[in-house]
Amino acid sequence: MKNMIKDAAILLAITLFAGLILGLVYQITKEPIAQAEEAAAKEAYAEVFPGALEFEMLKGTTTDDEAFTMQWREAGFEGVDIVNVLEAKDNAGALLGYVLTVTSHEGYGGDITFTMGICNDGTLNGISILSISETAGLGMKADAVLKPQFEGKKVPSFTYTKTGATSESQIDAISGATITTSAVTNAVNGGLYYFQSQLGGSVNEAK
């Protein structure tokens, strides 16, 4: 009995010590990790909106409005979240457009998060992937294969194809990674939809 109590006490001490060490490590690394994430986000903002010199976070971009939530789901974006929205401005403070951070929960390997820059006229400057955990050699090609296809496009929404894009609004799917292609395309469409429905933007497809 005494040995059991002694063993339990030792185990408890080890557990408490390990918890203390983990807590100290977390406190030490928390700020550098946050700073690195902030720096990566700023680089992504500049990448998708190179003409902007200032990015200002909009307040209250998430909504609990039941009508909008229903509208969002009916539009097919239940698996997409708009994480934040920033105004992109020039050196005089004039609004050039918006940068949206979007997360898709529809990826094959988990969430896919990226930023996208949209000009006032609805032109999509492009996307910058912040985090992705898709299959190596397949879905992980999203950065190389999908990302360039969105640059400079002015369309209300995108579709993807496996047989070769024939219009500005079509995206060539990653071979063997249809789920990843669909997740990214739908999330980009969600960002465009948010721009059009919540930020007063409009998109007339370029001829």
Side-chain angles (χ1 to χ4, degrees):
M1 183 68 178
K2 290 182 179 180
N3 287 338
M4 290 179 61
I5 294 174
K6 181 180 178 182
D7 290 344
I10 292 172
L11 181 60
L12 177 62
I14 292 172
T15 302
L16 291 173
F17 181 74
L20 178 62
I21 294 298
L22 288 173
L24 288 173
V25 169
Y26 171 74
Q27 290 299 324
I28 292 171
T29 60
K30 179 175 65 172
E31 187 171 342
I33 290 173
Q35 290 175 347
E37 290 176 346
E38 183 179 356
K42 287 181 178 179
E43 287 181 11
Y45 301 156
E47 181 181 350
V48 298
F49 226 118
L53 295 181
E54 180 185 351
F55 298 97
E56 183 176 336
M57 188 78 70
L58 287 181
K59 303 297 184 182
T61 55
T62 57
T63 177
D64 295 323
D65 181 78
E66 188 174 338
F68 176 70
T69 300
M70 179 93 50
Q71 178 184 339
W72 183 254
R73 290 177 177 174
E74 288 177 351
F77 304 122
E78 187 171 2
V80 178
D81 286 336
I82 304 299
V83 180
N84 59 46
V85 179
L86 298 94
E87 292 182 335
K89 299 180 178 181
D90 64 14
N91 58 355
L95 180 66
L96 301 175
Y98 300 89
V99 173
L100 285 69
T101 302
V102 186
T103 293
S104 169
H105 304 296
E106 300 171 334
Y108 183 81
D111 290 352
I112 302 172
T113 299
F114 58 86
T115 59
M116 55 189 290
I118 311 173
C119 297
N120 286 332
D121 69 354
T123 300
L124 177 61
N125 290 332
I127 69 172
S128 178
I129 297 176
L130 294 172
S131 64
I132 184 170
S133 302
E134 301 297 270
T135 306
L138 295 173
M140 288 302 287
K141 291 182 178 180
D143 198 59
V145 177
L146 298 181
K147 177 180 170 181
Q149 297 188 66
F150 292 107
E151 293 177 5
K153 300 293 181 65
K154 186 180 179 183
V155 297
S157 63
F158 293 91
T159 59
Y160 68 88
T161 176
K162 300 179 183 180
T163 58
T166 58
S167 70
E168 286 285 283
S169 62
Q170 286 189 322
I171 299 297
D172 284 322
I174 303 170
S175 179
T178 303
I179 293 176
T180 304
T181 303
S182 176
V184 173
T185 303
N186 193 47
V188 169
N189 286 340
L192 291 172
Y193 181 83
Y194 191 92
F195 167 72
Q196 295 161 31
S197 64
Q198 299 298 301
L199 300 175
S202 62
V203 180
N204 294 315
E205 188 167 355
K207 304 298 183 183

